[in-house]
Amino acid sequence: MALVRSKFSRFVTAKNKTNRAWVQRHITDPYVRQAQQRGYRSRAAFKLLEIDEKDRLLRPGQYIIDLGAAPGSWSQVLRERVSGQASRILAIDLLPMDPVAGIEFLQGDFQEPEVLAQIDQWLNGRSVDLVLSDMAPNLSGVGVADAARVMHLGELALEFAAQQLKPNGALLVKTFQGSGFSQLVEAFKKVFQKVNQRKPSASRAESSELFLLGRDLKIQSKTDETKV
């Protein structure tokens, strides 16, 4: 009997090949191996480490908010590099996250009034030194729609940071080159005096992923300069 292969079977075969290629790349990735050796929850830790080596974002005594924190690799880096009794770090995500020693965690949507109220309570009248955002949307596979979701998350992080940062504070946001990217850069430039793009070596070369770093607010934060 002749073997008949349907379009579906060809699709499944192609998908399986793609999955196998991804698995092979993942297990041979040097950053994956280093993350396992050093106890980081994902290879993303090395992206923040490399950016910090260049830009010196992390210092003892800082107040930091980590948006889109799960699974917690950036929070692990913060725990290592930001220490001391004067430091406080708040990790926020829609998803649950296993505890990281020294990190306070809030599960919820930072846009929601009740979550914002909890953030204000945590701050207790202070502004933050640094806002980090490693947020990424659930992708649909439709390029235009996915690009819009990515840029929207960047805009939300920017709006949040503009309200929460000290005048000399900084915002680091993961984003992707593509539709809407130049508009996000321009939005950063309206808020920050210094705006830079970073592509750490831990970001795969074939990925359009990069990070936008804004430093020193052009605009006044949500309260007066008496905040410390």
Side-chain angles (χ1 to χ4, degrees), residues 106 110 112-123:
L106 177 59
F110 70 92
E112 295 296 328
E114 60 271 22
V115 176
L116 285 171
Q118 292 179 71
I119 294 171
D120 284 341
Q121 184 177 10
W122 180 82
L123 287 168

Side-chain angles (χ1 to χ4, degrees), residues 41 69-73 75-76 91 95-101 103-105 107:
R41 296 177 183 178
S73 58
S75 290
Q76 290 176 299
L95 301 173
M97 186 177 89
D98 290 337
V100 176
I103 306 295
E104 299 165 83
F105 177 66
Q107 184 174 354

Side-chain angles (χ1 to χ4, degrees), residues 3 18 34 66 68 75 90 96 98-99 105 109-110 116 120 128 131 155-156 160 162 202 210 212:
L3 176 63
T18 301
Q34 289 183 61
D66 181 8
S75 290
L90 180 63
D98 290 337
F105 177 66
D109 185 342
F110 70 92
L116 285 171
D120 284 341
V128 297
V131 174
E155 292 166 354
L156 291 176
F160 177 82
L210 53 72
L212 280 180

Side-chain angles (χ1 to χ4, degrees), residues 11-228:
F11 170 78
V12 170
T13 301
K15 183 177 180 181
N16 288 341
K17 288 181 179 178
T18 301
N19 289 341
R20 286 197 298 270
W22 183 93
V23 170
Q24 181 63 25
R25 183 180 66 176
H26 183 76
I27 62 178
T28 59
D29 187 314
Y31 290 104
V32 172
R33 291 178 175 179
Q34 289 183 61
Q36 293 169 345
Q37 292 168 359
R38 295 177 59 172
Y40 291 132
R41 296 177 183 178
S42 80
R43 66 192 302 282
F46 296 101
K47 301 173 187 178
L48 179 57
L49 285 167
E50 185 176 333
I51 292 171
D52 184 48
E53 288 296 327
K54 181 177 181 65
D55 294 290
R56 305 297 180 188
L57 296 175
L58 307 179
R59 302 181 303 277
Q62 291 178 312
Y63 267 50
I64 299 175
I65 294 179
D66 181 8
L67 301 174
S73 58
W74 278 21
S75 290
Q76 290 176 299
V77 172
L78 296 177
R79 177 194 61 191
E80 293 174 354
R81 298 213 165 187
V82 182
S83 59
Q85 293 183 348
S87 302
R88 291 190 73 184
I89 301 165
L90 180 63
I92 304 174
D93 204 295
L94 289 170
L95 301 173
M97 186 177 89
D98 290 337
V100 176
I103 306 295
E104 299 165 83
F105 177 66
L106 177 59
Q107 184 174 354
D109 185 342
F110 70 92
Q111 304 171 75
E112 295 296 328
E114 60 271 22
V115 176
L116 285 171
Q118 292 179 71
I119 294 171
D120 284 341
Q121 184 177 10
W122 180 82
L123 287 168
N124 193 28
R126 296 183 62 111
S127 294
V128 297
D129 300 276
L130 177 64
V131 174
L132 302 174
S133 173
D134 196 27
M135 295 187 294
N138 292 324
L139 299 180
S140 66
V142 180
V144 174
D146 289 340
R149 291 186 180 100
V150 168
M151 297 309 149
H152 181 58
L153 288 180
E155 292 166 354
L156 291 176
L158 178 61
E159 181 180 356
F160 177 82
Q163 294 296 313
Q164 305 295 349
L165 285 172
K166 294 179 180 179
N168 64 344
L171 167 66
L172 180 68
V173 169
K174 178 173 74 177
T175 186
F176 295 86
Q177 288 181 314
S179 176
F181 175 73
S182 60
Q183 290 89 337
L184 183 60
V185 172
E186 289 305 310
F188 263 66
K189 289 180 177 179
K190 291 178 181 178
V191 175
F192 292 103
Q193 297 180 38
K194 304 171 187 175
V195 178
N196 297 105
Q197 300 176 29
R198 297 288 181 253
K199 175 76 172 180
S201 56
S203 290
R204 293 188 172 98
E206 69 273 17
S207 171
S208 63
E209 175 188 77
L210 53 72
F211 295 84
L212 280 180
L213 174 61
R215 307 186 84 155
D216 301 328
L217 291 173
K218 285 183 177 179
I219 60 176
Q220 187 63 44
S221 61
K222 66 178 179 180
T223 55
D224 60 33
E225 294 180 356
T226 61
K227 295 181 75 175
V228 295

